[in-house]
């Protein structure tokens, strides 16, 4: 039986240097005059002793010793092989972009106040803004909608919400954090943006200051794309951190100064070779896809240098990782209504999770996948011309259960469903196991990524919708009390009910009666085998059905 754990973000985290010794060794750099002590002046937690690089240090074993107060060795850990330790340079998120830009242009020996840095930053922001038009969330539904010729163009524009939802203000706010020492000048950004829209390649939009140093240093070698790659990589960095919620609150998060910035983000590059094969061309019109974990994995890569297999069980179930006193987690974490959660956003907060009973800190949290039984064949299907918008199968209880592992906690969320009316003698007390559902934050995130939200309807005024007692039910739609029965296994082992092939419910649109219960809406989202439309608080039930009906295929509408 899983033990219940309380989790919290503790600010009493291990010092970064000590954490480096305990985990992956990440060396300091500089020119010390002697050993570096971490801890108080009298009691050092960690001591780094330096060896002259001219000696045979690379051929000597590297030791990590755990000592007591008298410096007696309690534990000895020796690294085998040549003993080489890789140093990773880190920089706070605040002004991280500027540090990376200076690193990329370091070979020009520019003064700190060179206009090249200012001009390049304005160009980087313009490239980031221009890329937003081609950035989409990679949903299975997206390719189907893109190929649908029967939909009116106006409907595609208004309802194709699989486009990434990052806006201009988020780009500018992020740029002000990443390039805090260089002012973002809106007029200059606008000029570069205009030039980029008509440019055949990124070089054509270069600032004069950058052209000048290129001409001075590489006049005889026009086949040079290092600067173009750097600008493209920095633009990706801006787009990436525009997906971090409240980015100003995590400006002290320590990030690795990546030498391969242009490769760390699994977003299709907006640069491609031209016919000559060397000068990158700029194609801002091609679609660039974000996978459900593009943002999470990329930020993780800049926080944690530990090797990882992205196809492992741990990688595909993780929803929070912590490093150096900071935690990165998905936006699905919490108990908010799914329509209010932006799955393309991630959060970075100071603190690390801990086990409440022992105060033990852990490095990651992930889903514990639990298979549960399926509900009995008691789901109520409603047909006709009208229906009552309500919640029939509410969630009466939601609990989080935590299971400890080495440096991690596994979570499963248990929902107890209230069967509501129409289920006869099968009450919760008598048939409790029939009404238990389990899920996790990673699973919720992946299902929410595939869902569409309704857009604001004309009936929304002054922040409210008119109260309705009944809503229109069209012939191609039916209401269901829940989707739990609909996902039961058939005798042949297949799953059906809310799939398009189930003859019991031939209607193209299923309206799930879970209005007003955020937890029941999450469960309906997870259980649906159809494409999902989530009704938002600024759209009435009638308009939600109308918007859903404009898409081809079989749908679940969660009111």
């Amino acid at each position: 039986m899983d033990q219940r754990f309380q989790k919290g973000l503790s600010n009493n985290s291990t010092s970064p240097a000590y954490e480096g010794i305990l985990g992956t060794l990440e060396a300091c750099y500089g020119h010390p005059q002697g050993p570096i002590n971490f801890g108080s002046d009298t009691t050092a937690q960690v001591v780094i002793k330096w060896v002259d690089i001219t000696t045979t240090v690379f051929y000597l074993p590297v030791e990590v010793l755990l000592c007591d107060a008298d410096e007696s060795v309690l534990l000895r850990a020796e690294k085998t092989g040549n003993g080489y330790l890789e140093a990773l340079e880190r920089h706070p998120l605040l002004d991280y972009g500027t540090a990376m830009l200076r690193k990329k242009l370091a070979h020009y020996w520019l003064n700190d106040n060179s206009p090249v840095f200012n001009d390049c930053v304005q160009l980087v922001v313009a490239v980031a803004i221009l890329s937003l038009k081609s950035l989409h969330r990679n949903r299975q539904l997206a390719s189907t909608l893109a190929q649908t010729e029967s939909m009116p163009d106006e409907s595609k524009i208004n309802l194709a919400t699989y486009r990434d939802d990052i806006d201009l203000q988020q780009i500018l706010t992020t740029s002000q954090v990443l390039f805090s020492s260089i002012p973002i000048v809106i007029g200059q950004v606008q000029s570069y943006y205009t030039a980029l829209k008509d440019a055949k390649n990124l070089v054509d939009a270069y600032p004069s200051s950058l052209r000048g140093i290129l001409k001075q240093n590489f006049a005889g070698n026009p086949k040079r794309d290092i600067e173009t790659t750097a600008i493209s990589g920095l633009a990706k960095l801006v787009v990436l951190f525009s997906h971090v919620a409240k980015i100003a609150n995590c400006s002290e998060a320590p990030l690795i100064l990546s030498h391969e910035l242009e490769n760390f983000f699994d977003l299709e590059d907006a640069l491609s070779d031209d016919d000559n094969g060397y000068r990158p061309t700029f194609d801002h019109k091609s679609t660039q896809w974000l996978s459900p974990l593009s943002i999470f994995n990329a930020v993780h890569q800049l926080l944690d240098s530990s090797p990882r297999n992205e196809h492992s069980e741990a990688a595909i179930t993780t929803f929070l990782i912590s490093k150096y006193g900071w935690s990165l987690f998905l936006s699905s974490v919490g108990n908010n209504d799914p329509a209010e959660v932006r799955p393309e956003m991630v959060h970075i907060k100071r603190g690390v999770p801990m086990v409440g009973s022992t105060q033990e800190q852990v490095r990651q949290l992930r889903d514990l996948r639990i298979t549960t039984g399926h509900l009995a064949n008691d789901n109520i299907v409603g047909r006709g011309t009208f229906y009552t918008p309500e919640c029939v199968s509410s969630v009466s209880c939601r609990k989080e259960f935590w299971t400890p592992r080495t440096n991690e906690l596994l979570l499963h969320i248990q929902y107890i469903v209230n069967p509501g009316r129409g289920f006869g003698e099968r009450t919760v007390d008598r048939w409790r196991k029939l009404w238990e559902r389990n899920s996790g934050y990673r699973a919720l995130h992946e299902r929410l990524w595939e869902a569409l939200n309704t857009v604001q309807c004309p009936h929304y005024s002054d922040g409210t919708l008119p109260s309705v007692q009944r809503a229109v039910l069209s012939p191609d739609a039916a209401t269901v009390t829940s989707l739990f029965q609909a996902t039961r296994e058939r005798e042949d082992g297949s799953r059906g009910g809310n799939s398009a092939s189930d003859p019991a419910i031939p209607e193209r649109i299923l309206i799930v009666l879970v209005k007003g219960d955020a937890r029941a809406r999450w469960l309906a989202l997870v259980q649906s085998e159809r494409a999902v439309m989530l009704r938002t608080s600024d759209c009435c039930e009638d308009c939600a059905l109308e918007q859903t009906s404009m898409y081809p295929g079989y749908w679940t509408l969660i009111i």
Side-chain angles (χ1 to χ4, degrees):
M1 184 68 178
D2 296 327
Q3 184 178 356
R4 178 70 185 277
F5 285 87
Q6 295 179 347
K7 72 173 177 61
L9 290 181
S10 168
N11 287 322
N12 299 322
S13 55
T14 307
S15 68
Y18 190 43
E19 182 177 334
I21 294 295
L22 294 177
T24 303
L25 288 170
E26 304 194 28
C28 300
Y29 69 99
H31 301 283
Q33 300 302 314
I36 297 179
N37 298 330
F38 294 89
S40 64
D41 294 336
T42 56
T43 305
Q45 286 182 298
V46 177
V47 178
I48 296 181
K49 295 183 178 180
W50 298 81
V51 179
D52 188 351
I53 195 67
T54 59
T55 66
T56 57
V57 60
F58 292 108
Y59 300 97
L60 296 176
V62 176
E63 290 184 323
V64 178
L65 306 178
L66 179 62
C67 304
D68 59 14
D70 298 326
E71 294 193 6
S72 298
V73 177
L74 301 178
L75 181 66
R76 181 190 306 268
E78 182 175 304
K79 183 177 177 65
T80 58
N82 60 14
Y84 174 72
L85 298 180
E86 179 183 4
L88 290 174
E89 186 178 0
R90 288 182 178 267
H91 192 282
L93 178 59
L94 186 67
D95 215 28
Y96 178 88
T98 305
M100 184 58 67
L101 177 62
R102 295 184 186 279
K103 196 178 188 70
K104 290 292 185 180
L105 300 182
H107 52 278
Y108 292 125
W109 299 95
L110 301 172
N111 295 325
D112 289 344
N113 58 353
S114 170
V116 175
F117 296 117
N118 175 81
D119 296 341
C120 285
V121 167
Q122 315 308 319
L123 175 59
V124 165
V125 177
V127 173
I129 294 173
L130 192 61
S131 69
L132 291 182
K133 292 187 176 181
S134 59
L135 195 61
H136 291 74
R137 281 156 56 183
N138 187 14
R139 296 190 178 108
Q140 297 177 357
L141 175 65
S143 59
T144 302
L145 296 179
Q147 299 172 2
T148 303
E149 299 180 356
S150 59
M151 288 180 61
D153 291 338
E154 182 179 356
S155 300
K156 289 183 179 181
I157 294 174
N158 291 336
L159 296 178
T161 52
Y162 56 87
R163 173 171 289 173
D164 190 55
D165 296 327
I166 300 302
D167 57 24
L168 174 61
Q169 187 56 50
Q170 287 171 276
I171 290 287
L172 295 178
T173 300
T174 301
S175 301
Q176 291 168 354
V177 173
L178 291 175
F179 303 100
S180 61
S181 63
I182 299 178
I184 306 300
V185 183
I186 301 300
Q188 295 181 23
V189 173
Q190 179 64 45
S191 298
Y192 285 115
Y193 179 86
T194 302
L196 283 168
K197 288 195 298 183
D198 301 324
K200 293 183 179 180
N201 54 66
L202 195 54
V203 177
D204 292 343
Y206 273 5
S208 299
S209 56
L210 182 57
R211 292 176 184 271
I213 62 170
L214 287 175
K215 183 177 181 180
Q216 180 180 354
N217 291 274
F218 300 99
N221 182 19
K223 300 181 179 181
R224 183 171 178 81
D225 62 357
I226 295 178
E227 291 73 25
T228 298
T229 305
I231 291 171
S232 172
L234 287 169
K236 286 183 179 182
L237 185 75
V238 173
V239 172
L240 170 65
F241 281 96
S242 296
H243 293 78
V244 176
K246 299 180 180 179
I247 188 172
N249 294 342
C250 51
S251 59
E252 297 181 5
L255 304 179
I256 299 170
L257 279 173
S258 172
H259 293 278
E260 298 182 351
L261 183 62
E262 60 277 2
N263 297 326
F264 79 95
F265 193 14
D266 63 339
L267 176 68
E268 289 184 7
D269 205 336
L271 300 173
S272 57
D273 292 339
D274 66 6
D275 294 337
N276 296 323
Y278 63 87
R279 174 170 289 184
T281 58
F282 185 68
D283 182 12
H284 59 82
K285 296 181 180 179
S286 61
T287 300
Q288 302 176 59
W289 298 103
L290 286 174
S291 69
L293 292 173
S294 293
I295 305 299
F296 184 83
N297 287 340
V299 178
H300 184 186
Q301 204 169 336
L302 292 177
L303 275 175
D304 187 1
S305 62
S306 303
R308 57 193 176 275
N309 179 5
E310 294 186 359
H311 301 288
S312 65
E313 176 69 16
I316 63 178
T317 56
T318 298
F319 59 84
L320 181 148
I321 63 102
S322 62
K323 191 71 174 179
Y324 285 86
W326 292 81
S327 291
L328 164 71
F329 56 95
L330 299 172
S331 56
S332 58
V333 175
N335 197 20
N336 298 319
D337 187 277
E340 298 175 357
V341 176
R342 298 181 60 181
E344 74 276 10
M345 304 295 288
V346 298
H347 296 261
I348 303 176
K349 289 190 176 182
R350 187 189 297 274
V352 296
M354 65 179 183
V355 179
S357 58
T358 64
Q359 301 296 301
E360 177 186 0
Q361 298 177 356
V362 295
R363 299 288 182 86
Q364 69 179 16
L365 306 178
R366 60 189 183 94
D367 288 353
L368 176 62
R369 297 184 175 182
I370 296 180
T371 303
T372 57
H374 301 279
L375 296 185
N377 186 8
D378 283 333
N379 198 23
I380 301 172
V381 180
R383 299 181 175 90
T385 56
F386 297 97
Y387 73 96
T388 301
E390 59 182 335
C391 180
V392 175
S393 298
S394 62
V395 174
S396 59
C397 182
R398 175 189 182 275
K399 296 181 179 179
E400 294 184 354
F401 294 89
W402 299 89
T403 303
R405 294 289 188 271
T406 303
N407 287 328
E408 68 178 6
L409 287 175
L410 306 185
L411 164 73
H412 80 270
I413 307 172
Q414 182 189 75
Y415 298 85
I416 304 298
V417 181
N418 181 1
R421 68 175 186 274
F423 288 89
E425 299 297 326
R426 296 185 175 181
T427 63
V428 172
D429 292 336
R430 184 179 176 186
W431 299 86
R432 184 177 183 85
K433 286 295 182 182
L434 291 177
W435 312 113
E436 289 183 5
R437 315 312 289 168
N438 293 282
S439 189
Y441 288 128
R442 178 66 175 267
L444 296 178
H445 168 80
E446 292 176 353
R447 291 299 293 128
L448 186 60
W449 185 269
E450 294 286 335
L452 297 185
N453 285 3
T454 58
V455 298
Q456 182 176 317
C457 77
H459 304 108
Y460 183 77
S461 177
D462 297 328
T464 60
L465 285 171
S467 178
V468 296
Q469 299 300 319
R470 64 177 189 172
V472 174
L473 187 61
S474 57
D476 61 344
T479 63
V480 291
T481 54
S482 70
L483 288 179
F484 310 127
Q485 176 271 335
T487 58
R488 69 188 186 281
E489 290 187 1
R490 299 191 185 97
E491 293 182 358
D492 62 0
S494 62
R495 293 164 64 84
N498 63 44
S499 66
S501 60
D502 195 306
I505 309 179
E507 285 81 8
R508 197 170 67 83
I509 301 173
L510 298 184
I511 303 174
V512 191
L513 299 178
V514 287
K515 181 178 180 179
D517 190 327
R519 298 177 296 185
R521 283 162 60 84
W522 273 115
L523 279 183
L525 174 66
V526 173
Q527 294 286 334
S528 178
E529 293 183 1
R530 300 184 177 201
V532 174
M533 178 72 76
L534 274 169
R535 186 185 70 85
T536 54
S537 59
D538 59 357
C539 182
C540 68
E541 289 79 4
D542 289 347
C543 290
L545 177 58
E546 181 180 341
Q547 292 181 25
T548 306
S549 66
M550 298 180 72
Y551 286 103
Y554 288 76
W555 285 81
T556 293
L557 171 59
I558 300 175
I559 65 169

